[in-house]
Amino acid sequence: MEFDLVILGAGSGGYEAGLYAYRRGMKVAFVELSPEAVGGSCLNRGCIPSKYMRHGAYLLEKLRKGENYGILLEDIKVDAQRLAEGRDRVVITIRENFKRFAQKLGIPIFYGRGVLKDEHTVYVEEEGRTIKASYILLATGSSCASLENLRPDGKRIFNTDQIWDLREFPRRMLIVGGGAVGVEFAYIYRMYGVEVILVEIMDRLLPSAYIPEESSRYLARKLKRLGVDVRLKTRLLNYSEGETLKVSLSDGSTVEVDCILLGVGRKPNTDGMGLEYVGVEMDERGFVKVNQHCQTSVKNIYACGDITSSLMLAHKAMYEGKVAVSHMLGDRSWVRDDNLMPKVIYSAYEIASVGLTEDLAEEEGYDYEVGVVSFMSNPKAMDDAEDEGFVRLVVDKDTGKILGCHILGPQAGELLHQVVHLMKANIGVDFLSSAIFSHPSLSESIVQSAMEIHYGPITWIKRK
């Protein structure tokens, strides 16, 4: 069988690339491990089911503020089984819709492990089928890593692929890792009544250069206020199993928990695909080397998403898939750009960032200005009882170019996109400062932060 494009992996990046290629007139086929794997990690074991659960946690937090709105609820009960059933129903619906849509368009999905035999040939092991293509796109995603002294068993020690099998709320849970995954699950399980201990080896939660330290501090304070036992500069030393898990931590304490969730690290799925055989180059960590157009060292083989870098985001994979297809068709205007990739964390707050923080701007030699507006002064945030947080713009002082935007608070993940598009279009802070937003709206805080820079500050602001 011959195609214009064969895509290994029908997850976020692969599926988006396939639909985009179809729109552009290419004859496309997918290769995916199994029917249950269609949609990839994001749909089946990641961002979609976790956002369902996080929304439930958010509703619980809102309901507990109901008396401020004249809503008096005497007793709120939670049901882990019903939560799991609702979550799984959403996942299955999306996955089956994906498959039906591909079938309707005439895009075949071949099931089994795809192995490269040469630069134009893929062998599907389970089906025993050979597929020829002008181009090949590698979109096989990533899988959970583990720690040397903590091996997930799916019974009492879970990684983020296994946690979905937990059908009842434990009394007490230890979460290892205070990154995006760890803080999300800490919030979810705490709001559902679980006692949560969250340990992070670094000196702050969300220890990423792309996340301002101020966001980390805000989040740590709120998680503690909600009852999460947050322990920084702490790691798991060892544990013993009995009626409970007795865990020794590096801060000298021993805690007893019912289960442990390992929320650290993922690794690219590049083994067993024949990449070395056809000459696709990888780095020392197993990531596929690509150029700005997602092209590998073999000119007709491309790669997108988690297998290309440690910035593992579903929307990054989706964008890179379209970058790759565009380049196949001779369009050089689409390029990879991690600096313009929005990064959104869903925990006790929504935390959203794009571009440079102040520290990164200084490292890169910019003379920058910062405009900060608190949601405490935003009427819509006050109406919604969500007035904690801020909008923070980082701007080149000489040119007015927006270097970065960082939002913590209500709907941060949605608000950020307004600034992402301006940055992509290279539209500066002067334009943003004259924008019109409805009143009352959360978006008003964005234009106010721009005015802080363009016209001068009238609210609190952090200077260099």
Side-chain angles (χ1 to χ4, degrees):
M1 303 183 73
E2 294 191 10
F3 296 88
D4 297 322
L5 171 62
V6 169
I7 302 173
L8 273 61
S12 300
Y15 203 87
E16 183 75 10
L19 295 183
Y20 179 67
Y22 177 88
R23 291 177 190 271
R24 300 290 300 268
M26 299 181 81
K27 184 181 179 183
V28 183
F30 294 110
V31 178
E32 184 52 271
L33 290 173
S34 71
E36 294 73 31
V38 171
S41 294
C42 174
L43 172 60
N44 296 297
R45 301 176 303 279
C47 41
I48 301 303
S50 68
K51 298 309 164 287
Y52 186 96
M53 293 177 67
R54 194 269 177 182
H55 185 65
Y58 172 77
L59 289 176
L60 283 168
E61 184 181 0
K62 294 291 281 185
L63 286 171
R64 288 164 189 168
K65 299 176 182 177
E67 61 183 25
N68 295 330
Y69 297 90
I71 303 170
L72 305 179
L73 299 172
E74 297 299 324
D75 186 26
I76 300 174
K77 296 180 180 179
V78 296
D79 187 320
Q81 185 62 32
R82 288 188 183 183
L83 172 65
E85 288 171 358
R87 176 197 72 207
D88 295 348
R89 189 162 53 246
V90 168
V91 170
I92 292 169
T93 299
I94 297 172
R95 186 171 64 224
E96 293 308 308
N97 285 344
F98 276 179
K99 289 189 280 190
R100 277 193 293 268
F101 192 42
Q103 184 180 34
K104 186 176 180 179
L105 296 177
I107 303 175
I109 305 176
F110 301 110
Y111 294 113
R113 179 177 295 278
V115 180
L116 302 183
K117 293 302 181 183
D118 60 45
E119 62 267 32
H120 292 287
T121 307
V122 175
Y123 178 71
V124 185
E125 289 184 335
E126 282 72 2
E127 292 193 5
R129 186 190 302 269
T130 298
I131 307 170
K132 295 281 188 178
S134 300
Y135 296 98
I136 296 170
L137 175 63
L138 310 174
T140 50
S142 62
S143 55
C144 293
S146 59
L147 299 177
E148 254 183 54
N149 59 341
L150 194 62
R151 298 289 178 179
D153 58 13
K155 297 175 182 177
R156 302 172 82 178
I157 302 171
F158 300 90
N159 61 29
T160 53
D161 283 349
Q162 301 163 334
I163 193 65
W164 316 108
D165 296 329
L166 189 62
R167 296 282 166 160
E168 58 183 28
F169 295 123
R171 185 183 65 84
R172 204 172 197 212
M173 169 186 279
L174 172 67
I175 298 178
V176 179
V181 172
V183 299
E184 182 171 17
F185 278 107
Y187 174 66
I188 289 169
Y189 279 104
R190 181 64 199 128
M191 295 314 300
Y192 276 99
V194 178
E195 294 179 36
V196 176
I197 303 167
L198 175 62
V199 299
E200 165 56 47
I201 195 170
M202 304 297 285
D203 61 358
R204 68 173 174 123
L205 299 179
L206 305 176
S208 165
Y210 296 102
I211 306 296
E213 288 192 29
E214 186 177 16
S215 297
S216 299
R217 290 195 299 271
Y218 263 76
L219 179 59
R221 283 198 301 266
K222 181 166 182 188
L223 286 174
K224 289 176 182 178
R225 195 165 72 237
L226 293 172
V228 177
D229 183 353
V230 178
R231 305 191 187 191
L232 302 176
K233 294 189 284 189
T234 303
R235 60 189 176 88
L236 184 150
L237 297 178
N238 54 64
Y239 66 94
S240 61
E241 296 194 51
E243 194 171 317
T244 61
L245 296 172
K246 292 185 178 181
V247 184
S248 298
L249 301 175
S250 62
D251 62 3
S253 67
T254 299
V255 298
E256 291 191 37
V257 295
D258 299 308
C259 63
I260 299 173
L261 172 60
L262 180 60
V264 294
R266 296 186 68 83
K267 57 185 179 181
N269 292 332
T270 51
D271 292 339
M273 295 167 56
L275 301 185
E276 304 92 335
Y277 179 77
V278 299
V280 173
E281 294 181 5
M282 293 178 283
D283 67 17
E284 64 280 359
R285 296 179 296 169
F287 291 104
V288 176
K289 293 182 179 180
V290 294
N291 63 17
Q292 64 176 348
H293 300 293
C294 297
Q295 190 176 33
T296 73
S297 53
V298 180
K299 66 179 182 179
N300 70 298
I301 299 178
Y302 293 72
C304 69
D306 290 4
I307 63 171
T308 65
S309 78
S310 57
L311 184 60
M312 296 182 177
L313 302 167
H315 51 278
K316 170 179 173 285
M318 297 164 80
Y319 178 74
E320 288 182 347
K322 290 182 284 191
V323 169
V325 171
S326 296
H327 192 260
M328 295 172 197
L329 296 173
D331 183 350
R332 304 299 191 257
S333 64
W334 289 65
V335 294
R336 300 172 76 222
D337 190 345
D338 287 355
N339 189 57
L340 288 177
M341 202 56 60
K343 305 160 190 74
V344 185
I345 295 153
Y346 299 84
S347 181
Y349 299 111
E350 286 190 24
I351 299 172
S353 291
V354 65
L356 304 181
T357 62
E358 294 154 73
D359 289 340
L360 288 175
E362 190 162 340
E363 284 179 21
E364 295 193 14
Y366 285 101
D367 186 10
Y368 64 88
E369 291 185 284
V370 181
V372 185
V373 170
S374 169
F375 281 117
M376 290 179 68
S377 61
N378 183 287
K380 184 64 168 63
M382 295 172 70
D383 280 344
D384 295 347
E386 295 190 63
D387 58 354
E388 296 178 3
F390 56 84
V391 175
R392 190 178 209 93
L393 276 178
V394 183
V395 173
D396 186 331
K397 189 174 183 179
D398 297 327
T399 65
K401 178 182 178 181
I402 302 172
L403 302 174
C405 180
H406 310 279
I407 306 175
L408 178 144
Q411 302 299 315
E414 298 294 334
L415 295 173
L416 184 73
H417 296 112
Q418 303 171 51
V419 182
V420 173
H421 296 318
L422 292 178
M423 291 174 66
K424 193 171 190 300
N426 203 27
I427 296 174
V429 73
D430 56 339
F431 178 89
L432 182 56
S433 67
S434 64
I436 302 170
F437 293 103
S438 65
H439 177 80
S441 68
L442 299 171
S443 297
E444 290 178 286
S445 293
I446 293 178
V447 70
Q448 288 167 1
S449 65
M451 292 173 69
E452 290 280 299
I453 295 171
H454 193 58
Y455 297 110
I458 60 172
T459 63
W460 62 278
I461 184 167
K462 177 184 175 182
R463 292 292 185 182
K464 286 194 291 178

